[in-house]
Amino acid sequence: MKSNGLIILIILALAVASCTQNNIPKDKAYPRYTLPARGYQLYQSDCPYQFEYPTYASIEDKKSFFANGLRGDSCWININFNTLNATLHISYKDVANQDTLTKLMEDAYKLTVKHTMKADYIKDSIIDDPKLKGIWYDVGGNAASSIQFFLTDQERHYLRGSLYFKVTPNIDSMRPIVEFVTEDVRHLIHTFKWNN
C-alpha cells in the first residue's frame, strides 16, 4: 500500500513540475518579402499615352479580352509585378463625346463599388492637373483590388487602371507589398502624359 501511495505522490509531483513551463503556441507568421530596388523606365508605344513604370515590372500588350480579340489600336496593357504577384490592368478608350466619357466614369465607379463586400473602406481622391483629370480609389481591407483609378483629358482620352494580386487577399500579410506597389502606381500617374 505504501508503495502505491509513493507512486501516486511521485506522479503528482511530476505533473505539478511539468505544469510550471509556459507552453504557449507561437503566433502565426506572415511570409517575409524582399522588396526590389526602386527604379523607373519610360513606357512609350503607339498608344496615345506615356508614363514611367518600375524597372522590376514588365509590360504585356493585351490582344484579347475574354477570348474576344481587341482592336489593334486598343492600347490595353498589363503591368506585371512578377516578383510581387501583382498586375496593374490598364484599359484605354477613345472618347467620342461627353456622354461616352460620363458612362465610362460611371462604370469605373460601379466596378470599384463592387469591392464593398470585402473592403473596410473605399476612399476617393480627385486627380486635378491642367491636362489630366481623374479619380483615385483607395480600397482598404481584404478586397480583391486595393487600387482603382481612371484618368482623362475630358476631351478625347480615357484610361482606367486596377491593381490585383494573384493571391487570396489578406491585408495583414500583404500590407508592405500593397504600400510598395501603391507608391509605384502613384509615380506612374505623376509622370503620366497624353501624347496628343
Side-chain angles (χ1 to χ4, degrees):
M1 213 42 156
K2 288 185 177 183
S3 65
N4 283 345
L6 185 61
I7 292 174
I8 291 174
L9 188 59
I10 291 172
I11 291 173
L12 284 174
L14 290 173
V16 170
S18 67
C19 291
T20 60
Q21 280 186 324
N22 191 1
N23 292 329
I24 298 174
K26 292 182 179 181
D27 292 334
K28 288 184 180 179
Y30 295 116
R32 181 179 177 160
Y33 297 101
T34 303
L35 299 173
R38 290 228 191 255
Y40 297 100
Q41 57 194 333
L42 185 63
Y43 172 75
Q44 288 181 304
S45 69
D46 294 336
C47 296
Y49 55 83
Q50 63 179 344
F51 54 81
E52 290 182 6
Y53 69 102
T55 54
Y56 66 88
S58 63
I59 302 260
E60 169 193 6
D61 287 328
K62 293 296 292 175
K63 303 297 181 202
S64 64
F65 182 69
F66 291 109
N68 295 321
L70 295 172
R71 293 186 341 240
D73 63 346
S74 65
C75 293
W76 286 28
I77 62 172
N78 287 339
I79 301 175
N80 296 313
F81 302 87
N82 295 322
T83 59
L84 302 176
N85 284 331
T87 301
L88 179 63
H89 301 279
I90 302 226
S91 56
Y92 170 81
K93 296 270 189 185
D94 286 323
V95 176
N97 55 46
Q98 194 62 38
D99 291 338
T100 303
L101 178 60
T102 300
K103 180 167 179 0
L104 289 169
M105 290 189 295
E106 288 172 356
D107 288 346
Y109 175 76
K110 288 176 188 174
L111 289 168
T112 303
V113 169
K114 284 185 179 184
H115 294 282
T116 55
M117 301 262 309
K118 293 283 186 178
D120 291 341
Y121 63 87
I122 297 177
K123 181 181 173 188
D124 61 355
S125 303
I126 303 290
I127 299 166
D128 188 15
D129 291 328
K131 295 188 179 189
L132 189 65
K133 309 293 183 195
I135 297 179
W136 169 283
Y137 296 101
D138 182 19
V139 184
N142 292 330
S145 175
S146 54
I147 298 170
Q148 305 257 334
F149 66 91
F150 72 83
L151 305 170
T152 182
D153 65 352
Q154 296 185 308
E155 295 173 8
R156 297 183 53 211
H157 305 294
Y158 173 88
L159 181 134
R160 183 175 179 279
S162 55
L163 178 68
Y164 285 88
F165 289 89
K166 300 172 189 168
V167 296
T168 303
N170 181 346
I171 195 60
D172 290 333
S173 65
M174 294 173 48
R175 186 176 315 279
I177 294 174
V178 170
E179 290 172 356
F180 187 82
V181 176
T182 297
E183 191 174 323
D184 288 334
V185 177
R186 287 190 187 278
H187 182 85
L188 181 151
I189 293 171
H190 182 71
T191 60
F192 189 93
K193 291 180 184 161
W194 301 110
N195 289 338
N196 52 11

